[in-house]
Amino acid sequence: MASEDEFTMLFEEFYPSLCRFLECLLGGHAAVAQDLAQESFLQLHRTAWGKLPPGEARFWLYRVARNFALNEFRRSQTRHRLFDRVMTSMHSQSRTPEEEYERLERRELVLEMLQSLPEDQRAALLLREQEQMSYREIGHVLNISESKVKIDIFRARTALRECWTRRMRAVAAH
Amino acid sequence: MSCSLADRISLLIDGELLPVETGAIERHLLDCAECQQIRTDFLNLRCQLDAYEPTLDQLAVQTALARVLAKPDITIVRQGWYERFSGAFGVHRFNPALAAAVLLVVFAGALAFLFYRLHNDRAVPSRPDYVPSDRQSALPSNATSPTPITQSQPSSGPSTSKDKTGGAHASGPQRREQKANGQTAKVAAKSVRDAQTASRSNKRDGVIATDSEMASNREVEASSAEAVRPEDAESLTARHLEQSELLLRAFRNIRIGEAVETSEFSYERQRAQQLFYRNIMLRREADSAGDAQVASLLDSLEPILLDIANLANQPQDDDVRAIKERVKRKNLVALLQVNSAALARANE
């Protein structure tokens, strides 16, 4: 029987990653991402903890989190709350202003590029690049075939590559 | 991408090719500049995505864990107005009966308030510019309110709009007057405070404020309740921080290892539970007001209150020690003391 300590360890290991995945999926709404991540863990704790095969909890979490994110997209309101900006500025204290500026610029660019992708390509790419899941695992989380995972990731990379190249050319022209 | 093998680059960097295919593609890369560039760009994108840091810190992780482990029926979803309101009372699922009961209570309260206002309005002449002479003398000469401090008029919009002949003119001044009354609520409140100051100084000179003055002061303050709301939140927060500080001091002084009476912990737990719910409300208030410092402090305090509230009747020494160490590590007692004093001073 899985214990509370094991749940705590799982939480501490995957909660930041899940927040990162959701932030990128949602386009940077940190507070919403954290709420959805907490809800995912809550669902796991309440309904599935101790019932999943070993090692399955992680994939279960990402699947549920992604579904929550899809529901979030369908809602009419997803505004960038003041809380997000406050949290972002509070986390800047350990860096120099130049480093922080660069970091925020990069973050915004990454989020902007990701938002240009269809949601299924975005989710597949994030699970591959940020969570290092295999194509089989990604298919398991997103409930799609490996072939579709392969195609989605390739298309996502190609689209982002073009977007990135255009950006760099625009910067160089300036 | 003109090269026919470009799509294999994606599989190559993901390690999804068979060893034979991997060898073939790597040999191809030696001769194909386009595929080399594609691989470089794909790996660069990987770095960018992997380098993305979530907006999160260790405290937020601990707080989130505390919330997940706290209550079995709690639901943490994006906070709409209903969740914010009901979450403060530990109710997190839509309950039609409860919602109906709440609406009924609110409706009854609104009716009672309306009745009270109408009843008091009848006690004063309806002339909008009437000011009793005793109140006029108590007003400071430098009062800045453009309208005298009178009873607010009952709403007369619908009746005036029906008057076609002089309707526009008859409702216009009244509308303007009502608007002016609404706009000067804050200024009226200031005048009230000035009047109170004047009446206090008059007291020193032997003049006593009349009952009608005090009644009018209370009514104007009630009408300008919205103007002073942020100060109420500050004073509530200051009190909350002070009470939390007292609780943590008392908790810190509990000696580990000695026999502790059950009743002592029972009181701490109940107090912590009350403060926990209040902390949630005040933290959300601070978040929505954009007060990052207070919100951060309340955020640090919340898991401590939760842990104390969740202690067993006769807790283990380790549990008590862990909480005390966390309080000490975060220097919470000192932070609470400083912030409660600062808020109390700001509210004076």
Side-chain angles (χ1 to χ4, degrees):
Chain A
M1 185 69 166
S3 69
E4 205 83 327
D5 289 340
E6 286 173 10
F7 182 86
T8 302
M9 278 172 50
L10 183 86
F11 187 95
E12 286 172 353
E13 186 179 353
F14 290 117
Y15 179 73
S17 308
L18 199 62
C19 287
R20 176 170 74 162
F21 170 67
L22 286 166
E23 258 190 63
C24 290
L25 210 54
L26 295 168
H29 300 288
V32 178
Q34 287 172 35
D35 281 348
L36 297 185
Q38 287 176 39
E39 181 63 22
S40 305
F41 274 95
L42 188 67
Q43 290 291 334
L44 174 67
H45 188 248
R46 204 196 308 169
T47 64
W49 186 242
K51 299 172 190 167
L52 296 170
E56 179 64 19
R58 180 192 178 206
F59 305 120
W60 191 97
L61 276 170
Y62 278 92
R63 189 181 309 124
V64 165
R66 191 254 183 150
N67 288 336
F68 279 139
L70 284 176
N71 291 337
E72 187 62 29
F73 288 136
R74 290 184 198 121
R75 286 177 200 264
S76 54
Q77 299 166 358
T78 307
R79 59 189 174 85
H80 189 65
R81 290 186 281 184
L82 175 64
F83 177 73
D84 291 348
R85 294 200 284 275
V86 168
M87 288 302 296
T88 306
S89 66
M90 282 174 70
H91 281 274
S92 70
Q93 289 160 6
S94 59
R95 297 182 173 84
T96 65
E98 293 77 20
E99 285 171 349
E100 182 56 26
Y101 178 77
E102 197 185 316
R103 187 184 77 86
L104 290 175
E105 283 281 295
R106 215 175 318 122
R107 269 175 70 100
E108 288 305 311
L109 181 60
V110 165
L111 290 173
E112 194 185 312
M113 292 201 308
L114 284 170
Q115 288 306 299
S116 69
L117 299 174
E119 191 278 333
D120 48 355
Q121 290 181 16
R122 196 184 321 147
L125 183 67
L126 288 171
L127 290 174
R128 176 62 217 134
E129 304 293 36
Q130 291 183 343
E131 307 306 322
Q132 289 83 46
M133 288 187 190
S134 67
Y135 285 12
R136 190 184 66 80
E137 289 167 345
I138 294 171
H140 182 48
V141 169
L142 301 181
N143 204 24
I144 54 178
S145 66
E146 269 190 60
S147 307
K148 180 141 179 13
V149 173
K150 212 179 292 188
I151 293 168
D152 281 347
I153 288 179
F154 174 66
R155 285 177 179 167
R157 282 177 172 149
T158 307
L160 289 187
R161 179 175 177 254
E162 285 171 14
C163 186
W164 182 266
T165 308
R166 270 200 309 272
R167 271 293 180 110
M168 293 300 110
R169 280 189 195 141
V171 169
H174 253 266
Chain B
M1 299 177 190
S2 56
C3 182
S4 60
L5 295 178
D7 58 329
R8 312 299 278 174
I9 303 298
S10 183
L11 297 170
L12 172 73
I13 65 172
D14 290 339
E16 294 285 338
L17 291 175
L18 297 171
V20 171
E21 292 172 315
T22 303
I25 294 296
E26 282 178 351
R27 280 193 296 277
H28 171 74
L29 278 172
L30 295 173
D31 299 323
C32 181
E34 183 188 355
C35 287
Q36 285 175 21
Q37 187 60 48
I38 291 170
R39 184 176 70 168
T40 303
D41 292 342
F42 282 0
L43 289 174
N44 181 39
L45 283 170
R46 172 175 290 175
C47 286
Q48 298 294 333
L49 291 175
D50 199 33
Y52 184 94
E53 293 171 9
T55 311
L56 202 61
D57 60 9
Q58 190 53 32
L59 178 64
V61 175
Q62 288 176 5
T63 307
L65 178 61
R67 285 181 193 152
V68 168
L69 294 176
K71 291 192 177 210
D73 58 348
I74 206 166
T75 301
I76 303 160
V77 293
R78 191 168 56 86
Q79 298 287 323
W81 69 269
Y82 180 76
E83 286 82 14
R84 253 183 252 128
F85 174 74
S86 59
F89 300 98
V91 176
H92 294 275
R93 284 205 177 90
F94 179 68
N95 185 339
L98 179 65
V102 168
L103 278 173
L104 199 61
V105 166
V106 168
F107 185 63
L111 276 178
F113 179 69
L114 202 61
F115 176 75
Y116 171 76
R117 290 293 299 275
L118 286 173
H119 176 71
N120 282 332
D121 286 349
R122 279 196 212 109
V124 177
S126 60
R127 280 171 57 198
D129 56 348
Y130 173 75
V131 177
S133 58
D134 53 356
R135 271 195 271 148
Q136 282 178 348
S137 63
L139 286 175
S141 57
N142 61 347
T144 57
S145 170
T147 58
I149 300 171
T150 64
Q151 307 301 322
S152 57
Q153 299 178 40
S155 170
S156 57
S159 59
T160 56
S161 65
K162 287 178 188 168
D163 181 4
K164 288 205 171 131
T165 52
H169 297 293
S171 63
Q174 281 182 342
R175 275 205 301 273
R176 278 196 291 278
E177 190 163 19
Q178 285 172 4
K179 201 172 170 182
N181 283 340
Q183 284 171 350
T184 56
K186 286 188 194 176
V187 178
K190 181 179 181 301
S191 301
V192 165
R193 285 195 285 275
D194 290 343
Q196 286 174 342
T197 310
S199 70
R200 277 198 288 274
S201 64
N202 284 340
K203 272 187 193 173
R204 286 197 291 274
D205 298 340
V207 176
I208 299 170
T210 62
D211 285 344
S212 58
E213 261 182 57
M214 291 167 68
S216 71
N217 290 348
R218 278 197 293 275
E219 281 162 2
V220 174
E221 282 181 355
S223 69
S224 64
E226 273 193 32
V228 301
R229 190 164 167 258
E231 294 169 2
D232 286 344
E234 278 190 5
S235 69
L236 277 174
T237 306
R239 251 199 321 275
H240 172 74
L241 294 181
E242 189 184 332
Q243 287 165 355
S244 302
E245 181 204 337
L246 290 172
L247 172 70
L248 292 187
R249 280 186 191 278
F251 191 83
R252 193 176 59 178
N253 294 337
I254 292 172
R255 287 186 222 167
I256 297 174
E258 294 183 5
V260 178
E261 288 182 12
T262 304
S263 59
E264 187 174 345
F265 265 117
S266 172
Y267 172 76
E268 309 290 348
R269 280 176 30 235
Q270 280 172 18
R271 197 78 187 104
Q273 189 175 28
Q274 290 163 4
L275 290 171
F276 174 70
Y277 288 124
R278 195 194 300 167
N279 199 87
I280 292 174
M281 280 194 293
L282 291 173
R283 179 176 51 76
R284 288 172 183 166
E285 172 71 32
D287 280 342
S288 57
D291 193 340
Q293 183 177 343
V294 170
S296 173
L297 177 61
L298 293 173
D299 209 31
S300 304
L301 178 59
E302 205 163 289
I304 303 289
L305 293 173
L306 183 63
D307 286 348
I308 297 175
N310 283 337
L311 282 173
N313 278 340
Q314 287 180 331
Q316 301 288 330
D317 289 348
D318 285 343
D319 293 339
V320 175
R321 188 180 293 113
I323 295 174
K324 289 171 83 169
E325 279 174 7
R326 280 164 62 197
V327 171
K328 186 179 170 187
R329 196 168 53 241
K330 292 182 185 183
N331 204 18
L332 263 181
V333 172
L335 282 173
L336 289 170
Q337 187 179 15
V338 163
N339 279 276
S340 71
L343 279 172
R345 269 197 305 275
N347 206 30
E348 281 172 7

